[in-house]
Amino acid sequence: MERLVIDGGQRLEGSIRVHGAKNAALPILAAVTMLDGESVLHDVPNLDDVQVMLDILRSLGARVLQEGRTVSIQASSIDTTDVPEHLMRQMRSSIFLLGPLLTRFGSVRVSKPGGCTIGTRPIDLHLKGLSLLGAHIEESHGFIACTATRLRGANIFLDLPSVGATENLMMAACLADGETMIGNAAREPEIRDLADFLNCCGARITGAGEDTIYIEGVERLRARDFQIAPDRVVAGTLLLAGAITRGQVQLTNVRPADLTAVITKLRETGVQVNVSRDILEVKSTGVLQAVDRLQTAPFPGFPTDLQAPFMALLTLANGTSVVSETIFEDRFKHVSELQRMGASIKVDLRTAFVQGVRELSGAAVEATDLRAGAALVLAGLAAQGPTVIDRIYHIDRGYEAIESQLRDLGARIARTRPHTVADATYGT
Ligand code: UD1
């Protein structure tokens, strides 16, 4: 079990390029199973979740070649649509394969994804939508089996704008017979990225990024080269790293418009954020101020994935900040760990009241989930004394070699195994 050891208190400074987005790459990797020919994807981040998806594709019979952040996939050799249970269990996002495999091959069998530490995360909207598209769905003994000779277009209205359901149904509808309308669709940038990819492969999707999406089914889709968009959650986390260490950090390869809600809140704390076409710069000098209302919401609202990292910053802001989580029912697991580091936070149901403190102190803490882990890294960067973060496999699901990125900006952070903590070298 690896852990991160951080010697806090270093001001971060420098420039860093943001890697491709996990949440764009995962559905696009699933979509590749619908394509004829070889797809070459660029800037695919080297993350544990991506590796699981590539392992699943290999287990289905696809030929996968990975060289750094370039991944080539030949899906025509796929000879089974049974997703292995042990891989399915490693990552919820394997559910993205439901739509593409069903629409391309006429059947798919997956094990049911369980709940996870941030909430129950059902998939009822995915299944309801597929059934409207004509899928026959059977659920038994923890498995879901879907079959259909050919899906047919339908009008689907989502009860809530689920990102995953929108993506799954959009993919399924691409090879369906006729037109599909998805109402109350999610508007996250990754939906547009997936639609851009599919459209360049021959799909006919309009309205992605808005709340009604139209898909006209086509007979076949052809593989194309594609560049994965930058990760807005990683970008947000790195901005916060600059802010919490009272540093000056420049990010390249970003899409500032995807981060408007985050930039707005950062500015409310008194941090300076400069925006240009694909560059963001954060500069933090004066006293950090509390924000009176940070509420997560579907895009373009404040992203739930940056709620925990932003809370780390607010623990050091002057005054009381009010943070509400509206997307996931149990996404405050980082609170007790931040409290171990001296943060003053009270939680009432899905609202946290964060009373800023003068300083955080390093402590031994645990990453309970991916973004909670990122929050602890941020807190550790600002804390006095050493912080040791365990269960960092959560962090590796979404941040590529986070320690070397932060070290490049001047942080003293090392990845160690428990018995080597005393000898941790932080690098330069
Ligand atoms: C995606 C992102 C995740 C982000 C989340 C919300 C990926 C790989 N993951 O997750 O990082 O935190 O969007 O922006 O892109 N729901 C249902 N029934 C369903 C589906 C969802 O009730 O069938 C509920 C969920 O429990 C949750 C809410 O809808 O409360 C939003 O979930 P959803 O947008 O589907 O998130 P994911 O696609 O799982």
Side-chain angles (χ1 to χ4, degrees), residues 26 36 97-98 135 158 173 198 233 280 331-332 356 421 423:
L26 290 174
D36 293 339
L97 287 156
L98 218 49
L158 298 177
L198 290 167
V233 183
L280 276 174
R331 209 171 199 184
F332 279 145
V421 172
D423 318 319

Side-chain angles (χ1 to χ4, degrees), residues 64-79:
V64 178
L65 187 70
Q66 188 181 18
E67 284 175 315
R69 290 188 184 147
T70 301
V71 179
S72 315
I73 302 163
Q74 172 65 263
S76 24
S77 49
I78 288 181
D79 53 11

Side-chain angles (χ1 to χ4, degrees), residues 17 31 46 49 52 133 153 168 179 258 315 318 375 404 411 422:
R17 180 184 180 279
N46 200 348
D49 274 10
V52 174
L133 290 170
N168 229 337
E179 189 173 273
D258 294 351
T315 63
N318 184 29
S404 57

